[in-house]
């Protein structure tokens, strides 16, 4: 009987070691240790044995039973680990892998060229101590015209015809409205820029759009002169075009500045020799500016006897067109993805 038990044990252990699945182990457990299992039967038949043998065989059977149980348990742990490793190897997902095929990289979106230049300009001005302001696109007559020294009868309104709402508000025609809001909020001295989208009732062609982008700028401090204006504008242009630009100031009329200027730059396309972009003049009109009119300061509750300032209005569409040699303003809002992919 002892020999029989040991054979059963040896055989069971060898099957356990070869078992490939947890199911197989379970079947084996039932076959050997289950209610009608081989070893269970031996234990049951102990009663028929003589006293001495019964004790010895009983002890052995229990020992073997424990050993088999722990062998089953160990094998089960090994198989479980194997199964987990297999799952990890087969089912893991490398999210950094690109799609199969010819695609070398994921198509990622990017900023519109106008937003790109806007953010660049914001960086340039914040590095010079300017604060960035925002304003609503639907404005009141007061902020868009009146507080900028453009009363209702003023002919300058005609140059900025725009879209009116039925309750007498309008889509702002320029970011200059942000100046007024800035003056109301801030105490001098201050330096601000206000980027944004503006609207005009234009007949559209290669250089006119009904919707375009500007950055307004305003600095108010003690004894501000045209020299300050020129310094900041030259610094801005140098940072944007990565080289010294030659500029000139021509008189320009805007009711909210006195004196007012048109700032021109030497054409970057032809270097001033004359081309179609500069209409063969060598100069490109880039940025209107001037010293803030005393009336405008008064509207902003700033005493013009104590404070003075400069202001400018930079057209972003024109700037991007100069930078990349784009010849039609209508591309910007066309939504043509082939145009946008280039930047
Ligand atoms: N707001 C003017 C326009 O859109 C541009 C402008 C001119 C802004 C002179 C200024 C300025 O701040 O000083 O035509």
């Amino acid at each position: 009987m002892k020999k029989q038990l040991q054979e059963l044990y040896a055989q069971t252990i060898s099957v356990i070691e070869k078992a490939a699945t947890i199911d197989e182990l379970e079947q084996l457990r039932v076959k050997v240790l289950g209610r009608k299992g081989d070893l269970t039967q031996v234990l049951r038949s102990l009663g028929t044995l003589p006293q001495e043998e019964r004790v010895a065989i009983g002890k052995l059977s229990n020992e073997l039973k424990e050993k088999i149980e722990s062998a089953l348990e160990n094998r089960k742990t090994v198989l479980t680990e194997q199964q987990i490793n297999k799952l990890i190897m087969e089912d893991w997902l490398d999210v950094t892998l690109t799609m199969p095929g010819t695609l070398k990289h994921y198509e990622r979106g990017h900023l519109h060229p106008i937003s790109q230049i806007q953010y660049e300009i914001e960086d340039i001005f914040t590095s010079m101590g300017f604060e960035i302001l925002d304003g609503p696109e639907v404005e009141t007559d007061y902020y868009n015209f009146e507080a900028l020294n453009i009363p209702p009868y003023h002919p300058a309104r005609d140059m900025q015809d725009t879209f009116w709402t039925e309750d007498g508000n309008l889509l702002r025609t320029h970011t200059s409205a942000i100046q007024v809001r800035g003056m109301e909020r801030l105490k001098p001295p201050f330096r601000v820029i206000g980027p944004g989208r503006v609207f005009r009732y234009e007949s559209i062609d290669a250089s006119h759009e009904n919707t375009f982008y500007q950055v307004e700028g305003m600095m108010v401090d003690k004894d501000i002169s045209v020299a300050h204006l020129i310094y900041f504008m030259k610094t801005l242009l140098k940072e944007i075009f990565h080289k010294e630009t030659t500029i000139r100031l021509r008189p320009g009329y805007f009711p909210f500045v006195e004196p007012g200027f048109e700032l021109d730059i030497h054409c970057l396309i032809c270097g001033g020799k004359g081309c179609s972009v500069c209409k063969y003049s060598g100069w490109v009109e880039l940025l209107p500016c001037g010293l803030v009119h005393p009336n405008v300061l008064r509207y902003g509750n700033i005493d013009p006897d104590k404070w003075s300032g400069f202001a400018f209005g930079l057209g972003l569409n024109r700037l991007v067109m100069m930078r990349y040699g784009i010849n039609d303003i209508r591309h910007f809002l066309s939504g043509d993805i082939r145009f946008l992919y280039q930047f």
Side-chain angles (χ1 to χ4, degrees), residues 160 174 176 179 200 214 216-217 254 256-257 288-290 311-313:
Q160 300 196 359
H174 51 186
S176 300
Q179 284 186 18
R200 293 199 194 160
Q214 294 183 331
E216 191 74 13
F254 304 94
F256 33 95
V257 280
C289 51
F312 61 89

Side-chain angles (χ1 to χ4, degrees), residues 18-249:
K18 281 191 219 120
T21 66
I22 293 174
D23 270 357
E24 272 176 49
L25 281 182
E26 181 56 19
Q27 280 163 19
L28 189 67
R29 195 188 60 79
V30 174
K31 183 170 173 293
V32 181
L33 305 177
R35 272 203 306 134
K36 291 182 185 155
D38 302 339
L39 193 62
T40 316
Q41 307 248 344
V42 176
L43 285 166
R44 284 224 180 104
S45 64
L46 283 179
T48 58
L49 296 177
Q51 167 75 11
E52 255 173 57
E53 213 177 332
R54 191 192 312 159
V55 174
I57 296 294
K59 197 166 163 246
L60 180 65
S61 305
N62 278 325
E63 275 170 19
L64 295 183
K65 185 179 170 204
E66 270 169 32
K67 279 188 180 170
I68 290 172
E69 272 168 351
S70 82
L72 280 168
E73 213 40 55
N74 289 343
R75 184 73 191 148
K76 193 170 163 186
T77 311
V78 172
L79 287 178
T80 309
E81 262 173 33
Q82 278 178 4
Q83 210 169 33
I84 289 171
N85 286 339
K86 193 164 158 246
L87 267 181
I88 291 173
M89 290 315 292
E90 279 173 1
D91 280 4
W92 77 302
L93 179 68
D94 183 352
V95 290
T96 66
L97 276 182
T98 52
M99 282 153 67
T102 51
L103 198 60
K104 298 280 190 309
H105 59 90
Y106 283 114
E107 296 289 342
R108 299 174 66 195
H110 64 75
L111 291 173
H112 191 283
I114 296 219
S115 305
Q116 289 178 24
I117 212 155
Q118 179 188 322
Y119 294 159
E120 265 177 55
I121 290 169
E122 288 179 3
D123 282 348
I124 295 166
F125 276 106
T126 45
S127 78
M128 298 194 287
F130 282 71
E131 194 180 323
I132 301 169
L133 298 184
D134 201 359
E137 290 179 345
V138 180
E139 260 301 2
T140 62
D141 186 283
Y142 177 80
Y143 286 109
N144 196 83
F145 290 129
E146 216 170 321
L148 287 164
N149 207 24
I150 315 176
Y153 56 79
H154 203 290
R157 290 195 175 211
D158 294 346
M159 296 187 303
Q160 300 196 359
D161 205 359
T162 190
F163 304 94
W164 294 81
T165 61
E166 277 165 5
D167 56 0
N169 293 320
L170 69 156
L171 297 190
R172 66 178 174 201
T173 59
H174 51 186
T175 45
S176 300
I178 301 176
Q179 284 186 18
V180 187
R181 291 180 176 275
M183 284 186 289
E184 280 182 355
R185 251 196 51 210
L186 302 164
K187 284 214 157 32
F190 62 78
R191 307 168 183 195
V192 294
I193 56 165
R197 185 159 61 154
V198 299
F199 311 85
R200 293 199 194 160
Y201 182 65
E202 293 279 2
S203 56
I204 294 170
D205 62 25
S207 46
H208 297 88
E209 252 291 10
N210 56 29
T211 303
F212 53 100
Y213 294 79
Q214 294 183 331
V215 173
E216 191 74 13
M218 184 185 229
M219 174 170 178
V220 176
D221 208 320
K222 292 263 161 67
D223 302 322
I224 292 292
S225 72
V226 176
H228 295 104
L229 172 64
I230 292 175
Y231 168 77
F232 280 100
M233 296 306 99
K234 284 198 85 163
T235 309
L236 165 71
L237 296 172
K238 187 177 159 198
E239 292 290 323
I240 289 181
F241 294 115
H242 304 296
K243 57 180 169 193
E244 289 290 344
T245 45
T246 313
I247 63 163
R248 71 174 184 192
L249 292 185

